[in-house]
Amino acid sequence: MNHPYKEYENTEMWSTIWQALDELAENDDIEETTPRGHIVGYLCEKIEAMKE
């Protein structure tokens, strides 16, 4: 997967967000138009920034 968020890929946060997006997509609650890795990475980055 090609995205600038490699540092988050093997984290629990990445896995949790990925799974949540799976559930939302399966229920037709969201439609992803951006590659999943970019979405998940961006959210991980924002959550980490909030912790600071």
Side-chain angles (χ1 to χ4, degrees):
M1 188 178 314
N2 190 17
H3 56 74
Y5 305 105
K6 296 285 186 196
E7 65 188 279
Y8 301 112
E9 270 191 7
N10 295 314
T11 65
E12 185 176 342
M13 180 170 39
W14 179 280
S15 177
T16 301
I17 293 171
W18 193 284
Q19 182 179 6
L21 289 173
D22 274 344
E23 293 169 6
L24 290 168
E26 286 174 14
N27 292 330
D28 293 323
D29 292 326
I30 62 168
E31 181 179 328
E32 297 171 68
T33 59
T34 301
R36 173 75 64 92
H38 286 273
I39 297 169
V40 176
Y42 178 80
L43 292 172
C44 287
E45 184 177 77
K46 291 298 182 181
I47 291 169
E48 282 298 314
M50 288 177 56
K51 292 180 180 178
E52 296 175 358

